[in-house]
Amino acid sequence: MLQFSKFNREGIMVSIKVPESLYSYFEQAGSSICIHSGERIYMQGDHANRLYLITKGRVRVYYLSKEGEELTLEIVEKGRIFGESSFLYQATRQTTVDAVNEVELVSCTLERLYPFLSQSQELTVTLFQLLSNTCSHLSHQLKRSTFYNRYEKVASFLLDETAYPNKDKGISETCIPYSHEELAVCLGLNRVTVTKVLNDFKQKGWIDLQYKKVIISNRAALGELITSFTVSD
């Protein structure tokens, strides 16, 4: 039986990436493009007709409300795809995507990619795994934003992001290179709230704070917080 989502020893979903050996299928099916830092790749409501593979850099996927408020769903890095809504016939984009830094992408339509799926079982399985991971990630995001208080949101994000080393994001199992403002954007909280929570965690000895870095000192305590903390918002 195929396993479409992978989890680490803590039960946290592990990100699946497209192996570089499969990049050639996307390159044959599409074209390479470069996007500068801060530039928009597509907008919520645009017609969804292309899939994107990141070969360099990172992008931010976020939802934009009618009031102009932004909710970051994920920072996506090299080796992963985005634009999965193109798998649905006549779909529109449900999110907006901007480049975080200098980004290189391979953009292709599903019609051009389909013939290569019959040539490579690995490609087919990888795409299914990526789609499954996206569904699992969105479910977890919904749970975090709906049921967690501000302390649990920050703790959950720190544990999730450092669940496994990710050199493309500059993340290790003990360090996440995000500023307070970047954490606030990812969590849909204001910066003052995030700073207060982080300072509370630091005072307890669970984390240490450096310039644009959060160092995880006690993963067990953060994990326990998610299930037992009862601080009221």
Side-chain angles (χ1 to χ4, degrees):
M1 182 174 65
L2 295 177
Q3 181 182 4
F4 289 143
S5 291
K6 295 183 178 180
F7 299 84
N8 72 353
R9 62 184 181 275
E10 297 172 327
I12 297 173
M13 185 177 64
V14 175
S15 178
I16 295 173
K17 297 186 179 184
V18 177
E20 291 191 14
S21 59
L22 299 181
Y23 283 12
S24 61
Y25 291 114
F26 291 88
E27 292 165 349
Q28 293 176 70
S31 57
S32 299
I33 55 176
C34 296
I35 307 293
H36 296 299
S37 177
E39 288 187 352
R40 183 151 297 162
I41 298 167
Y42 59 71
M43 182 75 178
Q44 196 170 306
D46 288 352
H47 180 56
N49 60 352
R50 302 188 77 82
L51 185 70
Y52 299 88
L53 168 67
I54 304 176
T55 57
K56 178 184 178 182
R58 301 188 299 276
V59 304
R60 180 168 75 101
V61 181
Y62 62 98
Y63 177 78
L64 190 63
S65 73
K66 293 180 180 179
E67 293 75 26
E69 296 180 351
E70 298 178 1
L71 174 62
T72 297
L73 299 177
E74 192 173 10
I75 304 297
V76 185
E77 74 280 9
K78 176 185 174 182
R80 296 180 58 198
I81 63 172
F82 63 93
E84 295 97 331
S85 54
S86 61
F87 279 93
L88 302 176
Y89 179 64
Q90 293 185 339
T92 57
R93 301 295 188 191
Q94 301 301 304
T95 57
T96 298
V97 179
D98 294 344
V100 173
N101 51 12
E102 297 297 307
V103 175
E104 294 180 6
L105 307 169
V106 179
S107 170
C108 64
T109 63
L110 286 178
E111 288 75 14
R112 294 291 303 274
L113 189 61
Y114 281 146
F116 297 103
L117 297 180
S118 61
Q119 298 179 25
S120 172
Q121 182 183 19
E122 184 182 7
L123 175 63
T124 303
V125 171
T126 299
L127 286 178
F128 273 117
Q129 289 177 326
L130 289 166
L131 290 171
S132 177
N133 259 35
T134 296
C135 291
S136 298
H137 174 76
L138 291 176
S139 296
H140 185 60
Q141 285 283 83
L142 180 62
K143 176 183 176 182
R144 177 192 288 154
S145 62
T146 305
F147 299 112
Y148 287 2
N149 63 40
R150 60 187 182 272
Y151 291 91
E152 293 165 334
K153 286 177 180 178
V154 176
S156 172
F157 185 82
L158 293 177
L159 289 177
D160 289 352
E161 288 297 301
T162 59
Y164 62 97
N166 189 331
K167 66 178 183 179
D168 296 311
K169 285 186 177 180
I171 292 173
S172 70
E173 290 185 347
T174 59
C175 177
I176 176 172
Y178 284 23
S179 67
H180 295 196
E181 181 64 31
E182 289 169 333
L183 286 172
V185 168
C186 290
L187 289 166
L189 299 171
N190 65 60
R191 187 194 59 78
V192 174
T193 297
V194 169
T195 297
K196 182 181 183 305
V197 171
L198 291 175
N199 284 334
D200 285 350
F201 288 174
K202 180 180 178 180
Q203 189 173 29
K204 294 176 184 293
W206 297 350
I207 65 170
D208 191 20
L209 299 175
Q210 298 179 9
Y211 178 69
K212 289 189 175 183
K213 286 184 179 180
V214 179
I215 310 299
I216 312 297
S217 305
N218 192 334
R219 298 185 66 86
L222 292 172
E224 181 68 20
L225 170 71
I226 297 172
T227 57
S228 65
F229 211 97
T230 56
V231 174
S232 172
D233 284 320

